[in-house]
Amino acid sequence: MPDREISKEAAYQIINDELMLDGNPRLNLASFVTTWMEPEVDKLILQSLNKNYIDMDEYPVTTELQDRCVNMIARLFHAPLSDGEQAIGAGTVGSSEAIMLAGLAFKRKWQNKRKSEGKPYDKPNIVTGANVQVCWEKFARYFEVELKDVKLREGYYVLDPEKAVELVDENTICVCAILGSTYNGEFEDVKRLNELLQEKNKETGWDTPIHVDAASGGFIAPFLYPDLEWDFRLSCVRSINVSGHKYGLVYAGVGWVVWKSKSDLPEELIFHVNYLGSDQPTFTLNFSKGASQIIAQYYQFIRLGFEGYKSIMENCRMNAKVLCDGIRDTGRFEILSKDVGVPVVAFSLKDRTKHDEYEIADNLRRYGWIVPAYTMAPDAEHISLLRVVIREDFSCTLAQRLVNDIRKVLEYLDARPPKLVEAVTEAITQAEPDMKGDVVPSSIKLSAVIRDVVLAKKLSKRMNSFKTNGVC
């Protein structure tokens, strides 16, 4: 901390100048998180920045807005509620907290049942696909739950329902299905998983439930695929999380978790806090947090309504198709995303012998684009891919511009030697400086000998330096 104060103008300028070096959020195609909202909601957010959401007695209207949001989301997901019945759910700090709460509810309910039956309750597990978001691994590690994951395979990059149900045993607290994989946007077959789990529960007498991680797809499916059965219409689905800051169209910092019925949330997880003058029931991991994101979510719900959300999601799907068709027309990529799913375009090079996806991602930054390159989850790590998330603020014009820039990058890379040759050239010239003028990339050909030299010289670290973009 500095010893002395400076003027507010100087403090602002110092920070503003540094932030100019950040990437442009609108061109950050790696992120699902909303990067644009209307000026009117920006005003509401600024006006409510000083409100602490947890002070329910002081800000009762904000609490009421959260309850309205929970009710709308639960009914959007077909929760079996009567007219006027309050849904069971909560606003959270993103889907990570929502998943922790849902997981804790499953664990506690399973433990209570095991205790009542006089059975051991010290080895709970959850079953997921290997493609789950890292917050599921955090939940398993933090709350001492074994994570049993179904490995992926080439051509099938989501949870296999048959293999998932095979892993279920009497200690399984829930099976997690993802509505919108972060890898390629694909929806997992929740209906098939429900059918198989129903059969197993009937055979064994268990009551293993399903949690749907709809962080990305929860605000997509109801509007684009209303007949797709993935939510509370399925008997085994007991809780769902969704990210308001993704396709809920709110800035970063808000998620939601809803339960099918009151019985799915153990009462002992709900705390009643006598704070600042009134009894406040709360079932979140956080305490103090800003109220602005809750208010922003309510704004979007009443501003857009069902038809407004549907229109935006249809536009995202159309722009995803424009981008997908343009990338396919280059003839250089295999499309790994699906027609039904989150509006994401995931694609992989057909020929990686000379250049790879990491080089494309790196060179696209020259044009301002932030496009992640990464490998698939186990056991499909040998598949590398690029992914573009189509958000509300990504227009058809930007999609066409991105395709043109991808073509430029491909032309640039085609004119350069393979990165393996570049690495070998650099290694040789570093080891033998006198040869610097004689060794040029064009004089070295890829061969088994060269590859052996690379391995012998342990140049893998040098090669990996090209991979500057991690999993997002």
Side-chain angles (χ1 to χ4, degrees), residues 425-462:
T425 302
E426 182 176 335
I428 292 175
T429 54
Q430 286 180 356
E432 302 291 340
D434 294 340
M435 296 177 62
K436 187 171 183 179
D438 302 320
V439 180
V440 294
S442 59
S443 68
I444 300 178
K445 296 182 179 179
L446 284 174
S447 67
V449 174
I450 291 295
R451 293 181 187 277
D452 289 343
V453 170
V454 173
L455 293 174
K457 296 292 185 181
K458 298 181 179 180
L459 295 176
S460 59
K461 185 176 181 180
R462 170 73 185 104

Side-chain angles (χ1 to χ4, degrees), residues 358-374:
Y358 298 96
E359 291 176 272
I360 293 174
D362 290 340
N363 282 279
L364 280 173
R365 284 180 176 267
R366 294 161 47 201
Y367 299 94
W369 303 105
I370 302 173
V371 178
Y374 52 92

Side-chain angles (χ1 to χ4, degrees), residues 22-37:
D22 268 347
N24 184 340
R26 294 280 299 276
L27 298 181
N28 179 8
L29 307 183
S31 178
F32 287 88
V33 175
T34 297
T35 55
W36 178 86
M37 297 186 76

Side-chain angles (χ1 to χ4, degrees), residues 15 27 41 71 110 119 130 164 183 211 249 261-262 267 279 310 330 376 395 408 447 458 461:
I15 298 171
L27 298 181
V41 73
N71 280 320
W110 172 83
K119 297 178 180 179
Y183 287 88
H211 174 87
L249 308 180
S261 65
K262 191 174 182 178
E267 178 63 30
D279 177 71
K310 182 179 179 181
T330 66
M376 279 289 185
S395 65
K408 292 176 184 176
S447 67
K458 298 181 179 180
K461 185 176 181 180

Side-chain angles (χ1 to χ4, degrees), residues 416-428:
R416 295 179 61 82
K419 69 175 187 179
L420 179 61
V421 170
E422 289 186 328
V424 171
T425 302
E426 182 176 335
I428 292 175

Side-chain angles (χ1 to χ4, degrees), residues 19 38 51 62 76 92 109 117 129 133 146 214 251 279 312 318 320 333 338 366 380 395 401 407 410 433 442 446 458:
L19 290 176
E38 291 176 328
K51 286 186 179 180
T62 299
L76 190 67
T92 59
K109 191 172 182 180
E117 296 172 347
Q133 217 268 355
E146 179 190 2
Y251 292 137
D279 177 71
I312 289 171
M318 179 189 70
F333 297 99
K338 304 296 182 181
R366 294 161 47 201
S395 65
R401 180 65 177 267
R407 289 182 178 275
L410 290 172
S442 59
L446 284 174
K458 298 181 179 180

Side-chain angles (χ1 to χ4, degrees), residues 59-75:
Y59 309 119
V61 174
T62 299
T63 302
E64 174 64 24
L65 297 187
Q66 185 218 226
D67 292 343
R68 293 177 191 174
C69 289
V70 168
N71 280 320
M72 283 188 262
I73 293 169
R75 285 167 169 80

